[in-house]
Each structure stands twice: as structure tokens, then as C-alpha cells.
Amino acid sequence: AIEVSVSNKCGPLPKTGVVFTSDPGGLLAETVAGQAAANKEQLLIQTDNKGIARCYWLPSKTPKKTHFQ
């Protein structure tokens, strides 16, 4: 899983949108189980109550470079 934490000086920011983007050919899923059906290079995920957003990444099978942002 790839996780990010969203916070400010007051603490975690729940229910904040985070956009995950893979390189062309890479695929993203919201859950581990969803990896088999992953079909998106970009996902918008809301942070949980602790300000954490996560997704699951399948890199391209023929990458020119491997990169995630």
C-alpha cells in the first residue's frame, strides 16, 4: 500500500481528498482485493479519521521508468 498523511499544525485532516497518479500503464486500486480489477491511472481517495489516505499500486509491466506521485 502507498499511504500519505494529511495534517496541519492543529493535527490530522479527516475527509480530505488526495489524488494518487501513476505513470502511464500503472494501475491504482482502492483496496488490495481491487487490484485484480484495477483500471485507473488516477484515484481520488478521502483521508480517514486519522488523516491517512491509501491506495494500492500496480506498476506498468513495461515501464520506461517507475514513478509515482
Side-chain angles (χ1 to χ4, degrees):
I2 296 173
E3 295 184 342
V4 298
S5 173
V6 181
S7 62
N8 63 23
K9 62 183 177 181
C10 295
L13 295 174
K15 298 184 181 176
T16 301
V18 175
V19 176
F20 291 92
T21 305
S22 76
D23 284 335
L27 298 174
L28 302 170
E30 293 184 40
T31 64
V32 171
Q35 284 183 299
N39 64 359
K40 297 180 180 179
E41 291 181 2
Q42 191 172 69
L43 277 179
L44 172 63
I45 304 288
Q46 298 293 315
T47 57
D48 62 17
N49 290 337
K50 296 179 182 178
I52 304 293
R54 75 181 50 82
C55 75
Y56 298 85
W57 177 41
L58 296 170
S60 172
K61 292 180 181 178
T62 56
K64 294 181 182 175
K65 62 180 180 173
T66 301
H67 171 221
F68 184 86
Q69 57 181 359

